Amino acid sequence: MLYQLRNLNTREQELMMDGPVLVGILIGSADGNLSSEEVRRLNDLVKTKVYSEKNDVHLLYKQLAETDLSDRITAIAGETAEKDTVEEKEEFLIGRLAGLNPILKKLDHAYAVQYRDSLKDIAVGIANASGGILGIGRVSHEEEELLSLSFIEHP
């Protein structure tokens, strides 16, 4: 168990671990299609954050990268795919991510802010993963509307 998450129950710890994957799938599927390039980019971003994140947030990414990251992505993508419309998928993912709000308030403020900022980095990274011509217009309108992650409150 990560030191920063020690005061959280198991469900809350799992949601913290799922956060980056949920964001990646939300942004990646905003246009109705989660591409293999977006899934590959999500894997790469999580593994990069093991080394690029400040404070102890990198430890969360390290643990996430060392576990069955691909299985976690597949499981959450599968749950999402069961929804019939893009709107239902978005609502499902946003609902899960909004569950982070009370959890972030329980954490050290600096850690919570860095975690939220890291989720925004994931969102931007996924939005830029596919689409566009010569790097122009890579972020779709649907993805752009979600990039602020406004449903995750500033801790």
Side-chain angles (χ1 to χ4, degrees):
M1 172 178 44
L2 298 173
Y3 175 78
Q4 291 289 356
L5 307 183
R6 71 189 181 285
N7 294 327
L8 302 178
N9 65 41
T10 303
R11 186 193 60 78
E12 292 168 330
Q13 290 175 15
E14 282 297 314
L15 185 54
M16 289 289 292
M17 295 296 290
D18 285 345
V21 175
L22 290 163
V23 166
I25 293 172
L26 173 67
I27 301 301
S29 61
D31 59 1
N33 178 41
L34 180 64
S35 72
S36 59
E37 177 62 22
E38 289 163 327
V39 171
R40 185 193 63 72
R41 182 71 177 137
L42 177 55
N43 256 303
D44 292 348
L45 283 168
V46 167
K47 291 174 182 170
T48 299
K49 288 195 163 293
V50 171
Y51 305 101
S52 67
E53 282 302 312
K54 300 175 185 119
N55 204 339
D56 291 331
V57 175
H58 79 279
L59 296 173
L60 181 138
Y61 285 99
K62 182 178 184 201
Q63 185 171 334
L64 184 57
E66 289 174 350
T67 60
D68 296 326
L69 177 59
S70 294
D71 290 344
R72 190 178 293 259
I73 293 170
T74 301
I76 294 172
E79 285 180 68
T80 306
E82 292 174 3
K83 309 302 177 201
D84 293 328
T85 65
V86 173
E87 291 80 17
E88 289 175 349
K89 292 174 185 182
E90 202 171 281
E91 185 178 307
F92 167 73
L93 293 165
I94 288 173
R96 295 263 316 263
L97 286 163
L100 288 169
N101 291 325
I103 298 169
L104 293 177
K105 291 176 183 171
K106 295 180 179 182
L107 301 174
D108 173 75
H109 180 73
Y111 183 87
V113 169
Q114 288 179 353
Y115 176 80
R116 184 176 183 269
D117 289 348
S118 78
L119 294 181
K120 286 185 174 185
D121 292 343
I122 296 269
V124 171
I126 297 301
N128 287 312
S130 67
I133 299 170
L134 300 175
I136 299 170
R138 292 187 74 133
V139 179
S140 74
H141 174 70
E142 296 85 3
E143 292 169 333
E144 191 170 334
E145 289 181 355
L146 296 169
L147 283 180
S148 70
L149 303 181
S150 61
F151 40 85
I152 303 175
E153 300 164 2
H154 188 75

